[in-house]
Amino acid sequence: MIDDLDYNKKYDIQKFDWGEVVWLHVPSNLLTQRLSAGLVKFLPGKKQARHVHFGEEQILYVLQGKGMHTINGEEQKVKEGMVIHCPPYSEHEVVNTGDNELIFLATFTPSKLLEVRQSITISNNKHILDIVDKEVLENIQEEISGLLKLSVGIADNNNNYVTDPIRIHKFCDLCKNMNICKEKDNKYKSALKGLDNVFICCNNIIIIIIPILIGEEIVGYVKCGHFLINKPVDIKKYIIDSYKCEITNVEELVAAYNEIPIIPKSRFYALQESLSIVSKLISNIIENNLVEKELKEKNYEILKNAKEKLYLEDALKQANIKLLRSQVSSGFENHRFKPKNFFSRESIEYPLKVENKLRAAIKKFDEVLCEQIIYETINIYVQKEFSVQEIKEIFEELVVILSRLVYEETNDDELFLSIRQKYKEEIKKYNSYNILQEILAEFSKESIGILRNIMLNGKYDLIQKINLYIENNFNQDITLGFLADMFFITPNYLSTIFNEKNGISLKDYINKLRIENAKKYLVETDMKISDISKIVGYNQLSYFGSIFKKFEGCTPNEYRIKLRNK
């Protein structure tokens, strides 16, 4: 029956070292069709190397021959009439152990595409990818490239790379060095929104391009390549004819071209869907960042309005308290009441939590956060109807304690005493909540200025200063751009000298500090792993788990059990 099929003329055929695939059916539109089917032929004694079906499901029916099929490490002898199921993300390999061809009838279906709702519209998408931390995009790129074993890059809507592509094939590097690469000369259509868009770079090398959408606007592209569907018979002639120019190192180009992977069409469709998931993930991150940015702006406005409202409330309360005291004082003369009994209520305790929050915000050089903490604290006292006079001593003590932050870094007695005395006297002068808030905000700002100046002009070299800052703030959201701005250098230069000095990338340096601290919590406390994840700086438990396993070779829970058993 197989021999009767005249498929050489009727069907598309992909040739491989181990045999061929005759495509009986392929989807013409990925939006409405998913199934593909083909005859997979293995030559006698040949083996299809072990590989992962990362995003497709297969049903194989053995038409003829015999061999060995391995799924996820489990070997199975195959013979005519057998049906084999290969689930998505399974690892498998096929060997023809017979003297004749081993032939499967295979059906392929890409795994289900995730749906992500897109509802945000944007007015200017020129630099929209800039609001996403480059390190986040690089992490996504690294993960998907490692999974697909292909080159992956993320570009903006003008086809300029936002991240440096990784796993670029040697042939492509040679073409770019020889200035004969054709990819840079191509522009994509603005309406490129479907799942079935590919770009044939040159020499039949394929790149899949998936748009990143916010609403209906394209803000960038996920690009994946470089691979082949078919390879020409005479590669040398094909390359020379393709460029139509003098090429000195043809043999090197031919050798590199031979190493470009050929992928089955079924994997090609699964690739497109997997990259669409990545595109929607990035879209989701952009949306979240846009929302967060908008909320920050709104919170700033709310804080500003609330401060003005607080000033008014404070003035009214001060007037009411004076009136009340005058009335009470006249009543004391007639009734001989004791003031401490009349005003008996909740006692005022030192705000230790506020001290810790302000200390952390000052060390992080975050003036806005300091102001917000101060406002929220004072507002609590206002709501409880404490007078300014009643809480002034508490804030004097707070200033004295926090002044030690400056002393700890400078060891300058005179500076420490002058700051402490300056703000204690300022607090004593006034009896207004709004002025008290301004004094405390000014104290925080001056302390941050001193600490920042020490950081920038201290006795340590630049990388030591950066390392010191990271060690004190590793659980915060520290990015390459943030550090570059703080230390007044370019991100590229910072990345270069950081790697040279520390022998490790900034991302790995921060992750290493976080994991080392997480290990202490795992062994020394009974805290939930999800809580430990947040304490050391990871908001996503799954990401914390993957980074922990990368450094320690096991999950956080396995580490905790192992160490406690010891």
Side-chain angles (χ1 to χ4, degrees), residues 277-295:
I277 294 172
V278 174
S279 166
K280 293 195 175 186
L281 171 63
I282 295 173
S283 298
N284 212 22
I285 292 171
I286 293 173
E287 288 184 0
N288 290 338
N289 285 8
L290 284 171
V291 170
E292 186 177 339
K293 183 180 178 184
E294 186 178 348
L295 285 174

Side-chain angles (χ1 to χ4, degrees), residues 10 107 109 332:
K10 188 175 180 181
T107 60
T109 305
F332 286 157

